[in-house]
Amino acid sequence: MIIAPKIRGFICLTAHPDGCAQNVLNQINYVKSKGPIDGPKKVLVIGASTGFGLSSRITSAFGSNASTIGVYFEKPPAPGKTASAGWYNTAAFETQAHEAGLYAKSINGDAFSNEIKEKTLELIKADLGQIDLVIYSLASPKRVHPVTGVVHSSVLKPIGEVYTNKTVDFHTGIVSDISIQPAAGDDIENTIAVMGGEDWAMWIDELKAANLLAPGATTVAYSYIGPSLTEAVYRKGTIGRAKDHLEATAFEIADKLKDINGKAYVSVNKALVTQASSAIPVIPLYISLLYKIMKAEGIHEGCIEQIQRLFKDRLYTGAEVLTDDKGRIRVDDLEMRDDVQAQIAALWTEATTESLPEIGDLAGYKKDFLNLFGFDVAGVDYEADVNEMVEISGLV
Ligand code: NAI
């Protein structure tokens, strides 16, 4: 079929298999171009099909020749209906990994459930024995709690008072004020239940109890801080409470791993266009200004540049892992540079529908958004008839 983008708000209902494959290949080539990393050998990535998780899997495999198991929740294709982008990304990754002689298998299902955890544990037991790196990179709007059965929904709301600021509709380029009502009822608890650290700890507890973590094993989850401009809706909002919980969980996990000399970290990453971040109000305007400035300064990074740097310059340097005063690894250092943030703060006041295409990188934002679904990728023939029924070779 011939596949075009079908955009509804923050998502695109279609995905292009060739575009997704090209994106994956570009990431693989980037990692290879940066040389080998003396990194992990057997890796589990939870949330492995898009964004930072996909880049973590690619960096492990093509930077360190690691065997990888990926867990994700993606929609398979049906005749005349495309799969979700993460499905095609995974298909492309596993094809490339297998061609390179690397072990790569994956499990598609709800990572929050007992069933998927058990299935993953069985696979590790049968094929890899023990793993030495667990990346936790889930971004989900909801979680069915495996013990209580309660469905928790995460929300992106300020806490305490209404928050009003500028935002941009990145499809139309219209800059307008948006007011977001503060969290009410159980919003904070529910967001923590979905995006906090409880599920990460459950995974690590189960892996450890089954003796599937190698001595010295490391686990890393991803967090975000960002500037004061966005803090009311992000770091001091409901999602920020969940990130506080995730960061506190890293210390609890580290304690539990002491007997195997294991380590648990949170890495604070840069703001990037992903399926998760495009849904957060205000953030797209911030990102379009950020991209403009970081590109002008020659310090712009995407997911793969971030994760390759995390592995090579932070996690696997051979020396002790450097963290901030709260024990977090920082690869958001370039985003948070004082000069970068000062420029954004100045541009923020000037941003209007008319000025944004000039002072911000709205075009770069839109391109990255389309790229997430395999569209607007250089070298792909979008007029060509493509097979939507792509299979994932290592799907268990
Ligand atoms: P994403 O939306 O690109 O990826 C989410 C992944 O989770 C996908 O592989 C998806 O299949 C998987 N997933 C979602 N629900 C699932 C479920 N129930 N079971 C199994 N798999 C499931 O998200 P992104 O942006 O890469 O986020 C990953 C982490 O990085 C999150 O913790 C996010 O807060 C964090 N982060 C994101 C930043 C950004 O700007 N996008 C910045 C810094 C941190």
Side-chain angles (χ1 to χ4, degrees):
M1 64 191 279
I2 294 183
I3 305 168
K6 208 186 272 180
I7 294 167
R8 299 281 179 276
F10 310 116
I11 53 159
C12 180
L13 300 176
T14 51
H16 201 283
D18 292 357
C20 290
Q22 187 62 48
N23 281 336
V24 167
L25 201 57
N26 293 345
Q27 292 201 28
I28 292 172
N29 288 338
Y30 175 80
V31 168
K32 283 185 180 166
S33 77
K34 290 290 182 179
I37 301 169
D38 190 9
K41 292 293 160 234
K42 294 177 182 178
V43 180
L44 169 65
V45 181
I46 303 158
S49 53
T50 57
F52 286 113
L54 173 65
S55 296
S56 306
R57 196 176 186 199
I58 291 173
T59 304
S60 301
F62 290 92
S64 303
N65 280 325
S67 301
T68 59
I69 291 177
V71 179
Y72 49 85
F73 208 3
E74 299 293 344
K75 184 170 66 85
K81 280 190 119 179
T82 73
S84 53
W87 178 277
Y88 292 137
N89 290 339
T90 305
F93 168 81
E94 292 189 4
T95 300
Q96 294 291 333
H98 295 156
E99 276 174 14
L102 296 169
Y103 173 98
K105 286 192 184 174
S106 58
I107 291 173
N108 187 24
D110 182 5
F112 295 128
S113 70
N114 291 329
E115 181 205 341
I116 291 298
K117 287 189 177 72
E118 274 159 31
K119 197 170 167 181
T120 309
L121 265 57
E122 285 309 314
L123 182 62
I124 296 169
K125 216 175 286 174
D127 288 5
L128 299 182
Q130 287 186 321
I131 45 177
D132 54 6
L133 176 66
V134 181
I135 296 286
Y136 188 82
S137 187
L138 292 186
S140 174
K142 70 174 175 64
R143 171 180 176 216
V144 182
H145 197 284
V147 177
T148 62
V150 172
V151 182
H152 299 281
S153 294
S154 73
V155 296
L156 297 158
K157 291 185 182 173
I159 295 172
E161 51 189 70
V162 177
Y163 172 63
T164 302
N165 209 330
K166 290 181 185 179
T167 192
V168 63
D169 176 331
F170 57 88
H171 301 303
T172 61
I174 292 174
V175 176
S176 61
D177 275 349
I178 180 170
S179 289
I180 312 166
Q181 293 301 313
D186 296 335
D187 280 347
I188 297 174
E189 292 74 13
N190 279 324
T191 306
I192 292 173
V194 182
M195 291 299 287
E198 187 188 25
D199 182 63
W200 181 26
M202 283 177 164
W203 272 98
I204 300 299
D205 285 348
E206 292 191 27
L207 286 162
K208 182 157 187 269
N211 196 26
L212 299 178
L213 294 178
T218 297
T219 183
V220 183
Y222 297 139
S223 188
Y224 182 66
I225 299 175
S228 50
L229 266 176
T230 60
E231 94 186 339
V233 71
Y234 197 96
R235 194 62 209 210
K236 291 192 175 160
T238 49
I239 182 72
R241 290 291 175 88
K243 291 302 184 191
D244 290 344
H245 187 271
L246 186 79
E247 291 171 16
T249 305
F251 291 103
E252 286 170 23
I253 294 176
D255 273 348
K256 291 187 203 162
L257 296 183
K258 269 194 180 132
D259 58 334
I260 59 161
N261 196 25
K263 304 272 186 287
Y265 299 104
V266 159
S267 170
V268 181
N269 300 348
K270 167 185 192 268
L272 280 171
V273 181
T274 65
Q275 295 188 42
S277 70
S278 50
I280 310 177
V282 185
I283 300 286
L285 178 58
Y286 170 72
I287 290 183
S288 50
L289 297 173
L290 178 74
Y291 273 29
K292 180 84 172 190
I293 291 157
M294 292 188 82
K295 285 179 183 174
E297 299 280 339
I299 53 171
H300 178 68
E301 295 176 305
C303 285
I304 196 67
E305 289 85 358
Q306 279 267 290
I307 300 299
Q308 196 275 343
R309 192 156 69 88
L310 169 66
F311 277 48
K312 191 152 188 163
D313 296 351
R314 301 286 191 274
L315 286 171
Y316 296 103
T317 58
E320 206 180 316
V321 175
L322 285 182
T323 57
D324 66 10
D325 57 354
K326 293 192 170 143
R328 305 172 293 206
I329 299 173
R330 304 294 294 264
V331 285
D332 65 339
D333 47 347
L334 303 175
E335 169 182 355
M336 299 308 283
R337 252 174 41 182
D338 289 345
D339 60 319
V340 170
Q341 287 302 326
Q343 291 183 70
I344 295 175
L347 290 177
W348 189 269
T349 53
E350 290 172 28
T352 60
T353 306
E354 292 69 36
S355 67
L356 189 62
E358 186 66 26
I359 66 169
D361 186 22
L362 195 59
Y365 193 105
K366 281 186 190 175
K367 186 172 174 54
D368 274 14
F369 180 78
L370 285 170
N371 282 177
L372 295 175
F373 306 95
F375 296 108
D376 204 10
V377 178
V380 176
D381 179 1
Y382 290 101
E383 307 303 319
D385 197 3
V386 288
N387 176 20
E388 72 280 15
M389 298 301 291
V390 175
E391 285 178 13
I392 296 177
S393 50
L395 185 63
V396 176

